[in-house]
Amino acid sequence: MDKKEEPAIFPKNPNKTYGLMELTKTKSFQIEKGPDNTVTSWPHLFFRELILFMGVFIALMTISLLFNAPLEQEANPSNTPNPAKAPWYFLGLQEMLSWAHPFWGGIFAPTVVVIILMLTPYFDRSQKGVGVWFAPERKIANLLFTIFLVLAVGLIVVGEFFRGPNWQIFWPWNMPSPH
Amino acid sequence: MKKNRLLDLFTNNRFYKSIFRHGYPDDDIKRSEVVTGNLLLHIQPVKVHKNTIRAGYTLGLGLIAFYLFIILTATGILLMFYYIPSIERAYNDMKDLEFAVSFGIILRNLHRWGAHGMVAFVFLHMCRVFFTGGYKPPREFNWGIGVVLLIITLFLSLTGYLLPWDQLAFWAITIVANLIGTSPPESIMGANLRQLVLGGTIVGQNALIRFYVMHVVVLPLVAAALIGVHFWRIRKDGGISRPAEE
């Protein structure tokens, strides 16, 4: 090719060992695609997963070396502790039992919660705010879930720390012995 | 590329290659083969979006819950060697674990605290998915599986709660059994459900063996199967949720 007729759009740079050879009119692989924001799973993902496992194991082992699991007296059907408490994750339900007929707090409420949770994605279908923590587009959904969270955790805290003999309210530091 | 001779010694031989079907993953093709050439392909993709490995996005909560499940399975199997689900022996076996079995108390502590942790982290994982909108289509079915897994986790923990056969165990299960007994109509549904769960009218030997079988066989199998589906669906639904790209 005659150098004098070459257009000046791509002037030859003497410092480079490569140059633009040709332009063709075809689609590139990147057209109408987002940037390729991916990394290979090995090693990027797998090493992080391995490190997390080690962290979990070390943390659990440390707790297990420091604190012993509770073991009370042998089960005795004729000696009822006052109050008898369910495991902590069911204490919210046990707390609600004391308000009305046990069916409402113990069976009805958790069933309704599970049904609402399972159906949520079939009604809340908007794609706005997906992939972002506390997206502003999802204020109402996040608010409703936060209320559920506060209630669930709050009831557990009340049941665990504020309920004493005869299921009466006590301050945690005034809690009478359960026997 | 400069070869690491020690690494080469361990990985570039028939024995290694018979297991892993590829050499040490030091180029992109072999890195792909780590995934496509192994069973792992069904769980994890060759490449993941950068958002997936961003610690601040997932906080690793689901994976922590899964790891606790693995640790609980391992420690649970070891505990089964020392524990007899009989109301005459169960409590003494707990005492033996504490005072007679080498590292028995550590084994029990790992299992107990791991179980509490798993309940907490499954719940926290659910909170993460909600607050990032991760449950939205096409992931609505996987969210449902997740809710079921939360319930199974609660039942796993509850069935294990009875096994030490101490006062804590006995009365906690008595409360939950009475709760089940209030399912309406009480005289038909509630009473029969309670009878089904306890195998009698009070928490006794029948209840202990029922809870034990549920705890060590039925619920772990169901949980493992659903965890498999849960992970597989993450892939089929396009990986972990992330913001739409510009």
Side-chain angles (χ1 to χ4, degrees):
Chain A
M1 197 183 277
D2 192 352
K3 277 186 179 176
K4 286 172 187 172
E5 289 178 17
E6 205 176 44
I9 307 170
F10 301 107
K12 197 163 186 177
N13 185 340
N15 294 324
K16 288 183 177 169
T17 56
Y18 57 91
L20 185 68
M21 304 308 287
E22 196 174 24
L23 290 173
T24 57
K25 283 197 172 180
T26 56
K27 284 187 175 180
S28 92
F29 293 114
Q30 288 297 328
I31 278 182
E32 289 172 3
K33 281 183 182 168
D36 182 25
N37 275 327
T38 59
V39 290
T40 47
S41 301
W42 176 283
H44 301 280
L45 177 63
F46 298 160
F47 272 71
R48 281 171 170 83
E49 291 181 339
L50 180 67
I51 289 165
L52 184 63
F53 179 78
M54 294 194 286
V56 168
F57 189 76
I58 291 168
L60 188 61
M61 185 56 93
T62 309
I63 292 168
S64 299
L65 288 171
L66 291 176
F67 305 102
N68 278 346
L71 186 67
E72 295 189 354
Q73 297 292 308
E74 187 168 9
N76 181 357
S78 59
N79 176 15
T80 314
N82 185 5
K85 288 187 180 180
W88 61 268
Y89 37 84
F90 284 138
L91 275 182
L93 301 184
Q94 198 182 352
E95 172 63 26
M96 286 192 286
L97 295 187
S98 61
W99 301 349
H101 185 275
F103 163 72
W104 294 107
I107 308 281
F108 182 78
T111 307
V112 167
V113 165
V114 166
I115 290 172
I116 290 178
L117 278 177
M118 303 250 294
L119 290 182
T120 299
Y122 294 94
F123 292 99
D124 182 15
R125 301 181 63 82
S126 156
Q127 292 293 315
K128 282 181 187 157
V130 170
V132 180
W133 276 90
F134 309 112
E137 298 94 331
R138 294 177 21 80
K139 262 188 193 132
I140 296 173
N142 285 339
L143 181 70
L144 290 174
F145 193 78
T146 309
I147 291 170
F148 161 68
L149 261 188
V150 170
L151 282 177
V153 176
L155 288 178
I156 288 173
V157 169
V158 170
E160 176 76 39
F161 299 110
F162 292 87
R163 289 293 189 180
N166 305 319
W167 210 248
Q168 299 297 310
I169 290 276
F170 289 90
W171 290 112
W173 51 90
N174 273 340
M175 188 64 69
S177 159
H179 296 290
Chain B
M1 188 180 283
K2 200 182 141 199
K3 287 237 171 190
N4 183 327
R5 289 177 64 191
L6 187 65
L7 207 59
D8 208 46
L9 183 72
F10 282 111
T11 61
N12 194 12
N13 61 58
R14 268 180 211 173
F15 187 64
Y16 180 91
K17 285 182 179 175
S18 75
I19 301 171
F20 293 106
R21 307 181 68 224
H22 51 73
Y24 185 79
D26 52 5
D27 62 37
D28 271 359
I29 289 180
K30 285 181 195 151
R31 282 185 194 118
S32 308
E33 283 175 346
V34 171
V35 177
T36 59
N38 286 303
L39 183 69
L40 204 55
L41 172 64
H42 299 284
I43 305 294
Q44 314 226 257
V46 173
K47 293 181 119 188
V48 289
H49 194 274
K50 277 183 184 162
N51 191 61
T52 302
I53 57 169
R54 191 157 62 88
Y57 184 67
T58 64
L59 305 178
L61 296 169
L63 200 54
I64 292 174
F66 174 66
Y67 285 156
L68 289 171
F69 179 75
I70 298 291
I71 294 171
L72 285 164
T73 306
T75 54
I77 288 169
L78 293 176
L79 285 169
M80 283 170 72
F81 293 141
Y82 300 103
Y83 176 84
I84 311 287
S86 135
I87 56 173
E88 281 88 28
R89 291 206 44 185
Y91 186 75
N92 291 332
D93 287 344
M94 304 310 291
K95 286 288 181 194
D96 277 355
L97 271 170
E98 190 165 349
F99 298 112
V101 177
S102 304
F103 302 109
I105 186 70
I106 308 266
L107 198 57
R108 187 172 167 241
N109 290 349
L110 283 171
H111 200 76
R112 183 80 171 209
W113 301 135
H116 286 312
M118 188 174 156
V119 173
F121 276 100
V122 169
F123 189 74
L124 288 173
H125 169 61
M126 185 177 82
C127 297
R128 190 287 287 174
V129 172
F130 192 93
F131 285 128
T132 56
Y135 58 88
K136 299 204 173 192
R139 301 182 178 83
E140 60 266 59
F141 182 68
N142 217 12
W143 165 268
I145 292 176
V147 174
V148 174
L149 276 169
L150 170 65
I151 296 167
I152 288 175
T153 305
L154 290 174
F155 280 122
L156 265 171
S157 190
L158 181 73
T159 49
Y161 211 80
L162 179 64
L163 304 187
W165 204 249
D166 63 346
Q167 281 286 76
L168 199 61
F170 183 90
W171 291 102
I173 300 310
T174 301
I175 289 170
V176 176
N178 291 343
L179 176 59
I180 291 166
T182 63
S183 313
E186 272 180 57
S187 55
I188 307 163
M189 183 81 163
N192 282 322
L193 265 182
R194 192 174 183 282
Q195 174 80 23
L196 180 73
V197 169
L198 296 183
T201 50
I202 58 153
V203 179
Q205 178 61 59
N206 288 351
L208 182 59
I209 194 69
R210 279 176 195 217
F211 275 56
Y212 179 75
V213 172
M214 293 302 281
H215 186 73
V216 302
V217 180
V218 180
L219 290 171
L221 278 180
V222 176
L226 284 179
I227 288 170
V229 178
H230 198 58
F231 288 0
W232 176 77
R233 273 304 292 251
I234 296 174
R235 289 207 57 192
K236 290 294 159 187
D237 296 337
I240 287 168
S241 63
R242 58 178 175 271
E245 275 168 19
E246 306 292 305

